Amino acid sequence: MGEEMHLVTDLALILISAGVMTVVFKLLKQPLVLGYIVAGFIVGPHFGLFPTVFETTSISEWAEIGIIFLMFALGLEFSFKKLLKMGSTAFIAAGIEIVMMVGIGALSGYLMNWSLMECIFLGGMLAMSSTTIIIKAFDDLKLKKEPFADLTMVILIIQDIVAIVMMVLLSTAAASQKFQGKEMLEVIAKLLFFLILWFVVGIAIIPTLLRKTKKYINDETLLIISIGLCFGMVVFANFVGFSSALGAFVMGSILCETIEGEHIEKLTKGTKDLFGAIFFVSVGMMVDPQILMAYWKPILFLTLITLVVKAFISAGGVLMAGESLQVSIKTGFSLSQIGEFAFIIASLGVSLNVLSPYIYPVIVAVSVITTFTTPYAIRLADPFSNWLEQHLPDKTKQKLDDYSLVGKNDGKPSEWRIIIKTSLFRTLLFGILCFAITLVAFQYFYPLMFDLLGEYLPVKVISIINAIALLLVISPFLYGMMSNKTSTQALYAKLWRQGQLNRILIVAWTVLRIIIACFFVIMILSKSFKFTKLVIIILALVIVLFFLFSKNTLHRFSKIEDNFMTNLNAKEDQ
């Protein structure tokens, strides 16, 4: 058989074995994901009784596509709105779990006589749960609509974001043998910048295009467009230094906010199931019995740490965040495994020569074992929480019911709290948009204009054209940054009447936003003209005030804002 047919043969083996195991595990009433893992072991390179795949590298690439589709499907089911609605609970729970598991993982490595860097890497690996495994387990067990499932998904998303930052931090630590806070802050800032930019631009453009072209789009076209947008965001995410999984999730979250979100989810389900099956089979192919035998002690130790300690630490973090005992235990038991980010962190450590080569297969073995036990752990959570509630003293149960770390404010928020929350968000949002547009203009638009018009116009004229065009593009966002939201104008008026201190604070905050707007105009003028600093500052202030009081700018901003809010709320309005 020619080499070009090896991939077809491999896919035939994978899909046939997965199909057979699906039927077997259906008959046994077990989660399908376990059947996929068993199928992967059977057709994998470490089991010789049946035909084995030829091209493991190609299968890994297909498995990567499986992760992309699983994360895209997660985004379609779990929008950014739902992430924000979870409030501080998920962030507190995820923060406690990550910090505690990094510490316990490092301590575990120390007890096994691993080096300092190996201990730190182990902590990072044990802190990350598997988003793809849990999504599939919830799907198989019909638990996706349960309240604890939403919280679990948000914690997993936070873990994935932290994992991206952690990988950069660990790379820096491995290279310099110390942690660099500056690099970590840069990565966090870059991540927040792109997340907000992706979401805002996506909501502003994609739903509008889908709405205006709806009569020309059938199911086939919508499926192709959706998958194309997903892979386009994956490519862009990789281009700016983030993971494929994050890019797929972001695009899914954007499409979730459109009126076609549920339709797209149904159209892509078959494709998601196909590539998801390949991913889980590829996980089973990693199981090597020889590694299990040679390093059974660290594998058993780390498996117990993951299944028991991580489950109860995760549950404790959710409990401390103010959730009920039952929700905490269900969430904690769902998170008791390590997943694909552990592979990535482990391979990163091996490539940087700070991890011993045997650690990677050990982590893979622990991941496969805990993946296999995840559905059972989720099933065990309910009876265990019921048993625990029956045996806890009444006083303890009452204290747990009343306890809340973050607290809940039943009263109305103060005027200043509303204003700070609204105006800070507007300033941050429009500031990011202005910065992104200016950056793209400096990088691409300015050089293009000089190339196109350089032979026909003087450099000064081209610079004037560039500056005017860029200022007109960002002017609505400068206006939004400096102006107050309509719903808060009455609050400003009320606070203004209440005292001198409020007036000083209002004036100071308004001036600060004008200064921030001037900063962007100064950037543009400095890039385009060789005026003195004083002249540029005066010109920037005049331009900013002109935009602030311009009716045309107000009209353009209102049109953009109305379009964005229409897209954002289209699903609820329908």
Side-chain angles (χ1 to χ4, degrees):
M1 181 182 294
E3 292 185 4
E4 65 275 4
M5 291 298 293
H6 285 171
L7 180 58
V8 177
T9 306
D10 291 343
L11 287 176
L13 280 173
I14 287 173
L15 296 177
I16 291 172
S17 61
V20 171
M21 283 300 159
T22 297
V23 174
V24 171
F25 275 71
K26 274 279 189 182
L27 292 173
L28 296 174
K29 297 182 179 180
Q30 299 300 314
L32 299 183
V33 64
L34 304 183
Y36 293 141
I37 293 173
V38 172
F41 175 69
I42 290 173
V43 301
H46 308 296
F47 190 78
L49 295 181
F50 293 95
T52 303
V53 297
F54 291 95
E55 300 287 346
T56 54
T57 303
S58 298
I59 299 303
S60 298
E61 293 175 356
W62 285 64
E64 177 69 17
I65 297 175
I67 295 176
I68 290 171
F69 274 107
L70 287 167
M71 293 302 295
F72 181 59
L74 173 62
L76 285 170
E77 298 169 6
F78 201 92
S79 66
F80 274 109
K81 282 185 177 180
K82 193 177 289 187
L83 178 65
L84 296 174
K85 284 179 182 177
M86 285 293 172
S88 56
T89 302
F91 289 92
I92 293 172
I96 292 172
E97 186 272 335
I98 291 170
V99 171
M100 292 295 293
M101 284 310 301
V102 167
I104 289 173
L107 179 61
S108 300
Y110 175 76
L111 294 175
M112 293 186 293
N113 297 316
W114 289 10
S115 68
L116 176 60
M117 289 306 302
E118 288 174 342
C119 292
I120 295 172
F121 269 77
L122 178 61
M125 288 183 276
L126 293 184
M128 300 298 121
S129 300
S130 175
T131 305
T132 51
I133 298 298
I134 295 174
I135 293 171
K136 185 62 178 175
F138 283 169
D139 198 23
D140 291 346
L141 298 172
K142 304 293 188 292
L143 294 173
K144 290 164 69 174
K145 302 299 182 182
E146 293 290 323
F148 82 93
D150 280 349
L151 179 59
T152 304
M153 288 298 134
V154 179
I155 292 174
L156 288 168
I157 294 165
I158 296 170
Q159 283 185 355
D160 290 347
I161 294 172
V162 171
I164 296 167
V165 179
M166 189 179 294
M167 285 165 58
V168 176
L169 185 60
L170 291 174
S171 300
T172 306
S176 61
Q177 298 299 313
K178 62 181 180 179
F179 287 96
Q180 297 288 341
K182 181 181 177 181
E183 282 79 357
M184 185 180 72
L185 291 175
E186 287 177 354
V187 172
I188 293 173
K190 182 181 177 182
L191 181 62
L192 290 174
F193 174 83
F194 279 106
L195 282 176
I196 294 172
L197 184 63
W198 286 339
F199 183 70
V200 172
V201 174
I203 291 296
I205 296 175
I206 293 174
T208 303
L209 292 177
L210 290 177
R211 188 169 61 248
K212 290 186 176 181
T213 58
K214 186 176 181 179
K215 61 181 179 180
Y216 306 109
I217 297 178
N218 56 20
D219 286 356
E220 179 183 354
T221 308
L222 183 60
L223 174 63
I224 293 170
I225 290 173
S226 302
I227 295 176
L229 289 172
C230 172
F231 280 97
M233 183 62 81
V234 166
V235 171
F236 185 70
N238 277 283
F239 177 74
V240 296
F242 298 124
S243 69
S244 302
L246 181 65
F249 171 77
V250 169
M251 181 49 67
S253 297
I254 292 171
L255 292 176
C256 177
E257 302 297 347
T258 68
I259 57 176
E260 298 289 346
E262 293 182 3
H263 191 194
I264 293 172
E265 183 183 349
K266 291 177 182 177
L267 289 175
T268 56
K269 187 179 186 303
T271 311
K272 178 202 74 173
D273 290 341
L274 171 64
F275 285 100
I278 295 174
F279 166 73
F280 291 113
V281 170
S282 72
V283 172
M285 289 168 57
M286 297 179 187
V287 178
D288 187 349
Q290 292 183 352
I291 294 292
L292 296 177
M293 295 298 295
Y295 296 100
W296 69 271
K297 288 183 179 179
I299 291 172
L300 178 61
F301 178 60
L302 294 177
T303 299
L304 290 174
I305 290 292
T306 305
L307 292 178
V308 180
V309 178
K310 185 174 183 179
F312 284 98
I313 283 180
S314 300
V318 177
L319 191 66
M320 291 178 68
E323 288 293 337
S324 67
L325 181 64
Q326 191 173 50
V327 170
S328 300
I329 291 174
K330 288 181 178 180
T331 304
F333 279 37
S334 299
L335 295 169
S336 59
Q337 81 289 123
I338 59 176
E340 53 278 359
F341 268 114
F343 303 160
I344 299 171
I345 294 173
S347 61
L348 174 68
V350 172
S351 66
L352 293 172
N353 296 318
V354 294
L355 293 186
S356 302
Y358 76 89
I359 291 179
Y360 182 80
V362 165
I363 292 300
V364 169
V366 174
S367 176
V368 171
I369 294 170
T370 55
T371 294
F372 202 85
T373 59
T374 294
Y376 301 107
I378 295 172
R379 285 177 172 174
L380 180 64
D382 205 24
F384 179 79
S385 63
N386 292 333
W387 176 87
L388 190 61
E389 285 186 340
Q390 290 174 3
H391 289 79
L392 281 176
D394 291 336
K395 288 184 178 180
T396 304
K397 288 193 290 186
Q398 185 62 43
K399 287 181 179 179
L400 289 175
D401 290 338
D402 295 338
Y403 174 73
S404 174
L405 180 65
V406 295
K408 291 185 172 104
N409 184 12
D410 295 330
K412 294 182 179 179
S414 66
E415 289 86 354
W416 270 116
R417 185 178 175 184
I418 295 173
I419 286 175
I420 291 172
K421 181 180 178 181
T422 305
S423 58
L424 277 178
F425 175 75
R426 285 167 68 89
T427 304
L428 176 65
L429 175 62
F430 294 124
I432 287 175
L433 289 173
C434 289
F435 183 77
I437 294 169
T438 304
L439 194 65
V440 170
F442 287 169
Q443 193 75 24
Y444 301 105
F445 179 73
Y446 275 36
L448 178 63
M449 292 296 290
F450 280 112
D451 289 341
L452 293 176
L453 303 177
E455 297 180 4
Y456 310 104
L457 297 173
V459 173
K460 290 184 178 180
V461 175
I462 300 174
S463 297
I464 293 172
I465 294 172
N466 288 340
I468 292 174
L470 182 52
L471 287 171
L472 287 175
V473 171
I474 69 168
S475 60
F477 307 117
L478 294 176
Y479 176 88
M481 187 189 305
M482 295 182 289
S483 63
N484 299 320
K485 197 174 180 180
T486 306
S487 59
T488 61
Q489 289 178 357
L491 295 179
Y492 273 103
K494 181 180 178 181
L495 289 170
W496 185 270
R497 294 191 297 267
Q498 286 180 353
Q500 186 69 25
L501 179 60
N502 283 347
R503 295 174 188 173
I504 294 172
L505 292 173
I506 290 171
V507 171
W509 176 235
T510 303
V511 170
L512 179 61
R513 285 183 290 167
I514 292 174
I515 292 173
I516 295 172
C518 285
F519 168 75
F520 290 104
V521 179
I522 289 171
M523 283 177 57
I524 296 168
L525 295 179
S526 299
K527 180 73 174 179
S528 305
F529 308 107
K530 294 182 179 180
F531 299 143
T532 62
K533 291 181 180 180
L534 180 60
V535 172
I536 287 177
I537 291 172
I538 294 173
L539 280 175
L541 183 59
V542 171
I543 292 170
V544 162
L545 293 177
F546 172 77
F547 287 150
L548 181 60
F549 295 104
S550 169
K551 291 184 179 180
N552 180 265
T553 307
L554 170 61
H555 175 72
R556 290 167 59 211
F557 171 75
S558 299
K559 191 174 181 179
I560 293 171
E561 187 178 40
D562 291 343
N563 179 69
F564 180 83
M565 295 308 298
T566 299
N567 291 343
L568 187 64
N569 299 318
K571 198 171 182 179
E572 289 82 352
D573 294 341
Q574 187 187 45

